[in-house]
Amino acid sequence: VCGAGDCEPKVMNTSTHREIRDVVVGLGVTAAMVVLLVLVFGPNLFSRTSTYEVHAAFGRTDGLNIGSPVQAAGVTVGEVTALELIGGFRVQATMRINTDVELDSDATASIVTDGIFGGKLIQVDIGGGEEMIEDGGAISFTEDALVLDDLLSLIISQAHAKRSAREKESGQ
């Protein structure tokens, strides 16, 4: 009960203001994190594209990683989901391919570089056979990754061979 002049309005103290501010900032940061996660992972989480699994064995997979794209005619149609060493020091690449892309039994898989300085990817040539590769099937025809160091060594050794052949011809 307030008498004449003896009632003061209640004022929130500074600790209450600080707590309210902390709660509002916390909610804002949480909302921003949720938005960021949806933007980063949303396309994969909400994607309705179904896939099937295909395997291919390579002698060398230098630069190919899990998550590397799989392309057909320059369009990404899947990704590499596993790389494992199998008998005879070969590497089996497991790929998830979109179901709207049908691979024939004579399809080929090559490890190529995406541009001059890009990462490695698997380029699939769909083929022209009548039988389709089923889920869990394998691509029989593969081409290994071209290693730039090996290519440079080959070019240098050929240049040395030509130079020594010219020196022998001019010395006779």
Side-chain angles (χ1 to χ4, degrees):
V1 177
C2 291
D6 64 352
C7 237
E8 293 182 24
K10 291 192 175 191
V11 178
M12 290 195 294
N13 60 19
T14 57
S15 65
T16 306
H17 282 294
R18 202 172 305 136
E19 289 173 5
I20 291 172
R21 185 191 66 210
D22 290 347
V23 168
V24 170
V25 168
L27 289 174
V29 168
T30 302
M33 293 296 286
V34 167
V35 168
L36 181 65
L37 289 173
V38 167
L39 288 174
V40 171
F41 298 108
N44 293 334
L45 293 175
F46 303 117
S47 169
R48 296 288 181 221
T49 305
S50 57
T51 60
Y52 63 103
E53 192 171 273
V54 176
H55 306 281
F58 297 95
R60 294 186 77 154
T61 59
D62 299 85
L64 189 68
N65 297 308
I66 294 173
S68 293
V70 176
Q71 293 185 350
V75 176
T76 300
V77 296
E79 70 176 358
V80 177
T81 57
L83 294 169
E84 60 183 293
L85 197 60
I86 57 175
F89 294 106
R90 294 187 52 84
V91 178
Q92 178 172 286
T94 303
M95 300 165 276
R96 298 295 306 170
I97 308 290
N98 297 341
T99 53
D100 57 342
V101 176
E102 294 180 344
L103 298 177
D104 302 330
S105 57
D106 62 346
T108 61
S110 306
I111 299 174
V112 297
T113 303
D114 188 16
I116 296 174
F117 299 110
K120 298 284 185 171
L121 59 93
I122 296 180
Q123 177 66 42
V124 176
D125 290 323
I126 295 174
E130 292 185 19
E131 292 182 34
M132 299 300 158
I133 296 175
E134 300 293 326
D135 187 16
I139 297 175
S140 302
F141 308 106
T142 61
E143 186 177 334
D144 296 344
L146 179 65
V147 181
L148 189 58
D149 291 340
D150 293 345
L151 184 60
L152 289 174
S153 296
L154 178 64
I155 292 169
I156 290 170
S157 66
Q158 287 180 349
H160 284 299
K162 283 184 181 181
R163 186 170 75 189
S164 63
R166 274 187 272 163
E167 288 174 357
K168 283 182 182 180
E169 288 176 2
S170 64
Q172 289 180 344

